[in-house]
Amino acid sequence: MSAQPRFAFFGSTGGCVAAALALALKGGYACSALVRNEDKLKKMLVERGVEEATLSKHLLIVTGNIKDAAAISKTLKPEGTPSVVDVAISGVGSLPVFKPNPLKPTLEDPTICQDATKIILEAARAVGGQPHLLVISSAGLTDKGRDVPIFMAPLYYWLLAVPHADKKAMEKLIEADFAKLASERAIKGYTIVRPTFFTDGKSCGLESVRVGSEDEPAIGYTVSRNDVGLWIFEHAVKKAQELEGGKVVSITY
């Protein structure tokens, strides 16, 4: 890893990733971001206190779709750089749909997370290099017991059945790649972040965030998108040189 690590962001107009990206830019880190609407991203970052001069100096925006392999490749290995980024951060998602049956909500794109992750892995392998991959998943996916409050479990399983299936498939893709021989992997390591229900409130600070593991999850109700982004910045951006192996973390208040 280089002395000053570089970062790629996917799903950058989502609250968690936007918060992490804004902090990374204000911290002086070189970043690339894949978005469909460049103006929307710039507006969001300026509203988060990122100066125009900082955007021009530290951010490369690639305009495209998350299912466009060429655009993903350009984000992972920007033109003129000698290698892929050190860390790729993805918070890709889709909007909920409550029709035709409001009792069985789905998504506009029910396989967006697994599709995007598959292409990110393929692109990383194609451009040569093994970034650490961090993805935002969801609480309620553990196979090792319960990681949500007991009376919230039915709501998770009803309301989030479709996105959970997608995120579970995403996680399995990442774990399967990392299970390969080191020389055959698309990624050097991974971090799967499983937050509880999101709120759009202001950051409460890192001291308010409880973090657990796959074996000992932090069980709670909600967490702010801003604080998920803050945790990602503190643990995956500022400590990029320390990232290794594969791990699952749960995040909540």
Side-chain angles (χ1 to χ4, degrees):
M1 184 176 292
S2 58
Q4 177 73 326
R6 296 178 291 113
F7 303 86
F9 292 81
F10 303 96
S12 303
T13 54
C16 298
V17 179
L21 174 56
L23 290 168
L25 291 169
K26 287 190 281 188
Y29 293 95
C31 303
S32 55
L34 173 62
V35 291
R36 288 177 293 180
N37 188 323
E38 179 175 342
D39 291 337
K40 178 181 179 181
L41 176 61
K42 287 182 176 180
K43 183 174 183 291
M44 291 180 68
L45 293 171
V46 169
E47 289 174 349
R48 289 179 176 274
V50 182
E51 297 180 354
E52 292 282 356
T54 300
L55 291 176
S56 299
K57 183 177 181 180
H58 297 298
L59 179 62
L60 169 69
I61 297 178
V62 179
T63 304
N65 188 286
I66 191 58
K67 295 185 180 182
D68 182 346
I72 288 178
S73 295
K74 291 177 183 178
T75 311
L76 290 172
K77 189 176 183 297
E79 185 176 352
T81 59
S83 61
V84 298
V85 296
D86 298 288
V87 182
I89 297 169
S90 176
V92 172
S94 182
L95 294 175
V97 176
F98 292 89
K99 296 179 181 181
N101 186 348
L103 298 180
K104 293 184 177 181
T106 182
L107 298 171
E108 287 185 353
D109 187 339
T111 60
I112 182 66
C113 291
Q114 58 190 289
D115 292 344
T117 299
K118 181 180 180 181
I119 301 172
I120 290 172
L121 292 171
E122 291 173 348
R125 184 173 286 108
V127 298
Q130 295 177 318
H132 186 95
L133 177 60
L134 182 147
V135 296
I136 299 174
S137 186
S138 172
L141 294 185
T142 182
D143 295 324
K144 299 183 178 181
R146 179 172 54 84
D147 63 347
V148 297
I150 190 165
F151 71 87
M152 292 282 286
L155 180 60
Y156 269 85
Y157 299 140
W158 164 73
L159 184 64
L160 300 176
V162 172
H164 271 190
D166 184 30
K167 289 184 181 296
K168 193 66 176 178
M170 171 189 72
E171 292 186 4
K172 288 187 178 298
L173 283 170
I174 295 169
E175 291 165 352
D177 184 89
F178 191 69
K180 297 177 181 178
L181 294 174
S183 61
E184 298 176 357
R185 297 172 188 162
I187 53 176
K188 182 180 68 174
Y190 68 85
T191 302
I192 294 172
V193 180
R194 292 177 177 167
T196 49
F197 273 119
F198 288 131
T199 69
D200 289 319
K202 293 182 179 180
S203 173
C204 295
L206 209 59
E207 65 278 2
S208 299
V209 176
R210 293 188 295 116
V211 181
S213 64
E214 174 79 350
D215 295 321
E216 296 183 7
I219 299 176
Y221 295 93
T222 63
V223 66
S224 165
R225 289 181 172 87
N226 285 314
D227 279 328
V228 174
L230 174 60
W231 186 92
I232 291 171
F233 171 69
E234 292 290 340
H235 291 271
V237 176
K238 291 175 68 175
K239 298 180 180 180
Q241 286 93 341
E242 301 174 20
L243 294 174
E244 60 181 9
K247 65 178 180 179
V248 176
V249 298
S250 56
I251 295 184
T252 191
Y253 288 145

